[in-house]
Amino acid sequence: GFQQKTAQEHWEYLFVDASIGIDTLPPDLVTRLNSGGSSCTDETYNFISLVTLPEDGCPDDIRLSERSVIEPNAVVSRYLDMLFVFDLRPYTHRTAVFSMMQTGFVCLILAVGAMVFSHDANVLVLQPIERMIALVKQIRDNPLYAMKLGDESYRDGNEEEEEAPQKRKSKWRWCPCRRSQHVKEQAMETKILENAIVKLGTLLALGFGEAGSEIIVKNMREDTAKVNAMIPGSKVEAVFGFCNIMNFTDTTEVLQDKVMVFVNSVAEIVHAIVDEWHGAANQNNGEAFLIVWRLRDEDTPQVRAKLCDMAVISFVHVHAAVNKSPVLK
């Protein structure tokens, strides 16, 4: 009949004909195998743990994804059916940790990519469009404001041109491969559109002047593309100043084709000083300039008196500036 044998005897019987060398079982493992104890409640099989400190007493308590069952098919025994259950929980734990790290890394990359993309979209598209919309609204409410924007853009352009040689000099000071020619940076399309809006507004303000600014405002405030130049006029109170170049006929005969340079030099002085004293050049008829200080309905008597004083002072400054101008001497 069947005789109970020790675990070492079964081990040597099973692997006696093995092609590789099999070591003997450790003493503590032999003790557990010979004890025949089982930590499982199921009576269909006898489970003995081969590890020193098992976390669970039964393989059924381990999830299917965390265990691997191997049956030795090459060993045949009439008295013993063996199954080896390997605990994969340490491996699955590390795999889960790495998966979480990979997911976190992917989320971080996506977040950074989204932030970079949104930053480029804001800087290159959204912010320029918002600036252009703001420019159009300002010009629609006050067409003469475009002239101020044009002057600011002109000054900024001159300052950048003056600072560009110094920047290039400091950039290539320590570089042995100094370039002989510097390629001018190309402006972005959105910046070109902004400049075009400012230039169009400036040309409208110059063409219509202070008196025609109401025509621009009323047409710009309409939602349709229809242009109505025959807008009914309204009574306007203003301080008018008339500036005339004396002996212009004789000056034209002497200067000939250079007379336009002379008139433009005078106009530059007149327009700059009048604009400084909150006036506006309304009309230019050859040698004559019509200057306007508009009085609004909401202006108080003190404000109206101050505008009249500013008109007188501006003409005094114009007379002095023309006499002191080195270009006109």
Side-chain angles (χ1 to χ4, degrees), residues 35-50:
S35 63
S38 176
S39 58
C40 295
T41 58
D42 194 350
E43 298 180 355
T44 58
Y45 61 89
N46 187 20
F47 167 72
I48 300 175
S49 176
L50 300 183

Side-chain angles (χ1 to χ4, degrees), residues 262-273:
F262 174 75
V263 174
N264 290 335
S265 300
V266 176
E268 182 180 4
I269 297 173
V270 173
H271 286 212
I273 295 177

Side-chain angles (χ1 to χ4, degrees), residues 45-88:
Y45 61 89
N46 187 20
F47 167 72
I48 300 175
S49 176
L50 300 183
V51 296
T52 305
L53 295 174
E55 296 182 3
D56 292 308
C58 186
D60 293 337
D61 297 334
I62 305 176
R63 290 178 291 185
L64 295 177
S65 60
E66 296 179 347
R67 65 186 181 185
S68 176
V69 181
I70 298 177
E71 182 180 0
N73 296 325
V75 178
V76 180
S77 176
R78 294 179 300 172
Y79 307 107
L80 183 63
D81 292 332
M82 298 179 61
L83 289 177
F84 292 93
V85 181
F86 293 91
D87 188 1
L88 303 180

Side-chain angles (χ1 to χ4, degrees), residues 150-164:
D151 295 340
E152 292 177 356
S153 300
Y154 180 76
R155 288 194 296 268
D156 294 340
N158 290 338
E159 292 177 358
E160 291 179 358
E161 291 180 358
E162 293 176 358
E163 295 176 358

Side-chain angles (χ1 to χ4, degrees), residues 2-293:
F2 175 75
Q3 296 180 358
Q4 181 71 25
K5 294 184 180 181
T6 62
Q8 185 64 36
E9 294 176 345
H10 284 290
W11 181 269
E12 295 176 354
Y13 172 76
L14 292 175
F15 299 101
V16 66
D17 297 329
S19 58
I20 58 176
I22 303 299
D23 295 336
T24 58
L25 295 176
D28 57 343
L29 181 57
V30 172
T31 303
R32 288 198 299 272
L33 291 175
N34 290 331
S35 63
S38 176
S39 58
C40 295
T41 58
D42 194 350
E43 298 180 355
T44 58
Y45 61 89
N46 187 20
F47 167 72
I48 300 175
S49 176
L50 300 183
V51 296
T52 305
L53 295 174
E55 296 182 3
D56 292 308
C58 186
D60 293 337
D61 297 334
I62 305 176
R63 290 178 291 185
L64 295 177
S65 60
E66 296 179 347
R67 65 186 181 185
S68 176
V69 181
I70 298 177
E71 182 180 0
N73 296 325
V75 178
V76 180
S77 176
R78 294 179 300 172
Y79 307 107
L80 183 63
D81 292 332
M82 298 179 61
L83 289 177
F84 292 93
V85 181
F86 293 91
D87 188 1
L88 303 180
R89 280 177 294 181
Y91 171 76
T92 55
H93 176 73
R94 288 194 298 269
T95 303
V97 172
F98 292 152
S99 299
M100 293 175 62
M101 294 174 60
Q102 182 180 6
T103 303
F105 178 75
V106 172
C107 293
L108 178 62
I109 293 299
L110 292 177
V112 172
M115 293 175 61
V116 172
F117 178 78
S118 62
H119 177 267
D120 293 341
N122 290 331
V123 173
L124 301 178
V125 180
L126 297 180
Q127 293 180 0
I129 292 177
E130 291 177 355
R131 287 197 300 267
M132 286 187 285
I133 294 174
L135 286 176
V136 173
K137 289 182 178 179
Q138 291 174 347
I139 295 174
R140 182 184 63 180
D141 297 335
N142 183 14
L144 299 180
Y145 183 73
M147 299 180 63
K148 181 179 179 181
L149 294 177
D151 295 340
E152 292 177 356
S153 300
Y154 180 76
R155 288 194 296 268
D156 294 340
N158 290 338
E159 292 177 358
E160 291 179 358
E161 291 180 358
E162 293 176 358
E163 295 176 358
Q166 298 178 358
K167 292 182 178 180
R168 288 196 295 264
K169 183 177 179 180
S170 60
K171 180 178 180 181
W172 299 101
R173 180 177 298 175
W174 303 104
C175 182
C177 53
R178 182 173 180 177
R179 297 180 181 178
S180 58
Q181 295 181 355
H182 300 280
V183 181
K184 186 177 181 180
E185 294 183 359
Q186 184 178 3
M188 294 190 301
E189 289 80 359
T190 53
K191 186 62 177 178
I192 295 174
L193 290 176
E194 292 182 32
N195 295 334
I197 293 174
V198 174
K199 291 178 181 178
L200 291 175
T202 304
L203 293 175
L204 282 175
L206 292 174
F208 285 86
E210 175 71 19
S213 60
E214 294 295 332
I215 300 176
I216 303 175
V217 171
K218 292 182 179 180
N219 281 275
M220 292 288 287
R221 288 179 179 176
E222 296 181 357
D223 296 333
T224 61
K226 181 180 178 181
V227 178
N228 183 16
M230 304 303 295
I231 295 177
S234 59
K235 184 179 178 180
V236 176
E237 295 182 356
V239 177
F240 294 93
F242 189 77
C243 180
N244 188 25
I245 302 176
M246 304 301 295
N247 301 323
F248 186 71
T249 303
D250 298 337
T251 304
T252 303
E253 293 179 356
V254 173
L255 296 179
Q256 296 295 329
D257 56 345
K258 297 182 180 179
V259 67
M260 292 304 299
V261 179
F262 174 75
V263 174
N264 290 335
S265 300
V266 176
E268 182 180 4
I269 297 173
V270 173
H271 286 212
I273 295 177
V274 169
D275 181 72
E276 183 180 355
W277 291 94
H278 300 278
N282 182 264
Q283 188 178 2
N284 181 15
N285 185 15
E287 76 279 11
F289 303 93
L290 180 61
I291 313 300
V292 178
W293 282 263

